[in-house]
Amino acid sequence: MLARMLEHSAENENRMSSLGIFLPKLKLLLDKIGNMYKPVVVGLIAEGNPPGSVRSMGHAGVIQVMGKRGWVLATVLWGVGFLGVDGARAELTRDQQKCVNALHTNFQKVSTRVGAETLRCLSDVAKQKTAGTVEACVAADLRGKIAAAKEKTLQHDGDRCDGLDKSGQPRRPDVFVSSPEQINTTASEREATLLAGLLGPGGAPILASENASAAQCQGAVARSMNKCQDLALRTFNQCRKLAVKDGADTAAELEACVLSDPKGKIARACNLGSQGEKKIDKVRRSLERTCVSKDVDLCAAFPHCCPPCSSLDVDCVHQCVQLRSSCETCRDLNVVSDLANDCDLECLPLMVDPGDGPWTVVPDERVVAECGLDPDILNAVDEQLGQPWAVVRYGKLCHEYYPSGQDEARHAFSATKTLAALVTGIASYETRDLPQAGPKTGPLSDTDRVDYWLDSFSFNPDAQIAHVLAMVAHNEDLSFEAMEHIYDAVGTVQINRLSDVVNTAIAQDPDRLGSDLEVFTQKFLYSPLGMTDSVWNAGLPDKVYAFNWFATLHDMARVGQLILHDGIWDGKRLLDPEWVYRMTHPAFEDSNTSYGYLTWLVANSNYNFGGILGLPNKLQFPLDTCSPPAIHPSFPHGLSEAVDCYYEPPYTCDQQFDVGVWGALGALGQLIVGHKGLDLVMVGQDQGTVANTATLWNAMRAALVDHDPIYMGDTTSFCEDYRAGDYAPDLPVAP
C-alpha cells in the first residue's frame, strides 16, 4: 500500500470522479504493460502534501493526494509487486481481514453500549433513583447489555480469528488487532474516562433536586459528546476497512485513519460554528440551549474545563470537551489497533489564545469570572505604573493600559533576545526532517557545533549552539565551572552570529522555509500568531539578535503566551516543547543560575546579571520574593554537567511543581514575564531602568491573590507557598 487513507474534501472527490471516463482506459493500458516493467511512479507532484485515498485497480492504482495547498494525481505502475522490485507484499489474507474487521466492529459496539448504558444509569443517579458515579454505573451494568456486547467480542474472536485458514495461514494477523480482553477493557475504560472527565472530580452527576437545570445540562452535553464518539469510531472503521482491503499491512498505513473525517460528517455534527451563530454542532447546541440559556454555570457543570474556561464561555468548554474526546479516541485506537499514532496535539492541555485574530480585552464586569483578577485593583495599578502594561490570564487579555490611549509599537531592546531564541527554536523544529549530508545540511540543533554551520567566527571554535544561546561561547575553556556568563548586550560577541546560522539552515529548503530569516519569521511566527505590528531589524534579511524588535504590547503578549504554552498556538505546534523548556530553565548553572536560552529566569542563589547594572557577580538572595525559581527536576541535563541546582544554603533544589518564572527583559523596562503555574503573562513598556521580573508582579499581585480560592487575600501565605514551588493552581493538565 503506497498511500494512507487521509481526509479529503467533497471538491477533491469531484475531481476524481470527473476522471471516470479516462480511468478504465488507463487501467487497460497499465494491465498490458504492468508485467513488463518494474515499479514506476509517474505523477504531478504538488508541494509536500500527504497521500490521500487509494483505489486498487489490479496492476494500476490511482492515488489522489490532497492538502491545504493542492492535490496530486499520480499513476502507480508495478510489475512483480506493488512498489516492490523483489517479491510481493505480505498483504492480509481474506480471513485475516475478516478477523480485523470483526474485532474493530466489536470495539465500536462495546464502546457504544457502555456509553448508552452509563448515560442511562447517570440519568437515574441525577434523578436520585439510584446512587453512584461513572465508574459505578459502568460496573453495575444493570440490564446486562454491556456484558452481552463483551461476550460477542470473545465469540467473534474465536469464530473469526482462531486457528488457520484453508491455506495454512493464521487467521489472526500480527498487525492491527489486540486481544479481545484488551478490546473490551479499553472500551469500558474509554467511556468511563470520558464521562468522568466531563462531570468532574468523582465522576458523579449534579443531582436534579439540587439544580435541575445543571443536571439537565450535564446530561444533554454528555449525550451529544457520546454521539460524536460513536461517529468518530464508525468513521475510523470505514477508513480502516478500505485501507486493509486495499492491502495495508503496516501500522503507518492505518494511522492516517485515526481522527480522519473524509466527508466532513464529524465536523458538521461535532465542531461547527461558534457561540451565537445559527449553524452550530450538536455539542454547542446543547451548551447554548440547555445550559447557558437556562443560566447554568458552565464551570459548575464541567469543572475540569475551568480554568481556562469561564462560566459562560461556550466555545472554550466546547473545545475542552472536544479535546478530551479526540485525545481518548487517539489513545484508544493505538491500543485496540496496535498503532503508534502521535497523539501529542490531541492530548495537550486545553490552551486558549486569540489565534491570528484580534485580542479583545475582557470587560471589567467579567474580569473576576474569566480571569480570577480584581478589576478595581488592576485599574489602580494603572496610575501607580503610569506606563503601558497589560496582563493576560488563561489566554485572555484581562487588562490593558495605555497613557496615550492606544497600543503603540516601541523598541523592546533586549527583550528581542527572547524573540530571537524563539525564532531559532522554530527553525530547529521546521528543519527537523531535512536530510543530513555533510556540513550545513540537516536539522538545526542546539547541540550542533557552530562550525558545522559557519565557516568562521570569533568565539571558541569548539562552541555549540547552546553555548551561544547561553552567552558562554566566548570563554576559552568551555569545561564545567570554567565558564563565565558575560551578557552580550549588543550581540557582537557571539549571539548575532545565530542569524547567519539560521539563514544557512533554512537555505536548504527556501521554497518551504523562505528565502531568508525575515521571510521565515513572517511565515512561521508573525503570521500564525497574528503579530501585525512587529518589525525586527527594519525587516532586513539578517537579524540583530540582541535588540531592534519594535512591537506593541499585544504582540509582546502573544510571544509570552506562546512560550507559556510550550510552543503551541491555536492548536498547532510551532516549536518543540523541549526547546521552550531550555529557554526557561538554566542552561549552565555553574555560569549563571538565572539565564536560559537568551531569557532571564528567577533564581535564589549563585546568579548574576552578566556584568550589567553594576551588581555583584554572584547574588545569594532572591530579588523576586514571591516567585518560584527556575530549577531543573534532575541533573545533569543538556550540555550542563551540574549535579544540582547550584544553590547555596539556606536555599535548596526542592520543588513540588516545575513552574519557575521567566522574563524577556529590555532596557528602560520592556518586559514580558511568564508565570506558568498561574497561567499568567504580564507585559510592560518603559517601566524603568531597574525593572525586572518582579516589577509588574509586585504591582498587580493583590488582584490575583484576593480572588485565589485557597488564599483569599492572604498574600503572605500565598507567597510563601508559591515561591517554594508548592503551589501551582493553574499548571496545565493533559486530558
Side-chain angles (χ1 to χ4, degrees), residues 7-17 64 66 261-264 268:
E7 294 183 30
H8 52 86
S9 63
E11 178 184 355
N12 287 326
E13 286 278 8
N14 291 335
R15 286 173 174 165
M16 284 299 288
S17 62
Q64 185 185 10
M66 274 78 71
D261 189 16
K263 297 182 180 180
R268 290 192 295 273

Side-chain angles (χ1 to χ4, degrees), residues 643-666:
V643 296
D644 57 33
C645 65
Y646 233 65
Y647 282 3
E648 301 290 342
Y651 304 104
T652 72
C653 307
D654 298 335
Q655 58 178 0
Q656 182 178 352
F657 300 106
D658 186 1
V659 290
V661 172
W662 52 266
L665 311 180

Side-chain angles (χ1 to χ4, degrees), residues 418 422 558-567 580 583-584 662:
T418 297
L422 200 60
R558 290 172 192 264
V559 167
Q561 197 69 18
L562 178 62
I563 297 172
L564 198 74
H565 285 173
D566 295 328
V580 178
M583 285 178 63
T584 56
W662 52 266

Side-chain angles (χ1 to χ4, degrees), residues 246-306:
D246 282 344
D249 64 351
T250 66
E253 292 172 291
L254 207 60
E255 285 163 6
C257 288
V258 177
L259 300 178
S260 66
D261 189 16
K263 297 182 180 180
K265 288 184 177 180
I266 300 175
R268 290 192 295 273
C270 310
N271 194 20
L272 177 67
S274 59
Q275 188 169 358
E277 294 182 0
K278 290 184 178 180
K279 291 185 177 181
I280 55 177
D281 59 81
K282 294 178 180 179
V283 178
R284 275 194 178 89
R285 187 177 296 114
S286 296
L287 287 167
E288 285 194 4
R289 298 180 182 179
T290 314
C291 303
V292 174
S293 66
K294 296 185 179 180
D295 298 323
V296 174
D297 184 332
L298 294 179
C299 288
F302 312 107
H304 277 322
C305 297
C306 300

Side-chain angles (χ1 to χ4, degrees), residues 358-413:
W359 217 335
T360 305
V361 66
V362 176
D364 274 3
E365 61 270 19
R366 296 292 308 160
V367 169
V368 173
E370 296 194 26
C371 304
L373 302 172
D374 190 304
D376 294 333
I377 295 177
L378 296 177
N379 289 327
V381 173
D382 297 345
E383 184 176 351
Q384 175 186 339
L385 295 176
Q387 294 294 340
W389 80 290
V391 56
V392 174
R393 196 172 192 206
Y394 307 138
K396 302 174 183 179
L397 182 61
C398 301
H399 182 81
E400 59 184 349
Y401 171 70
Y402 313 104
S404 67
Q406 59 183 359
D407 187 9
E408 300 173 344
R410 301 190 186 188
H411 192 182
F413 292 100

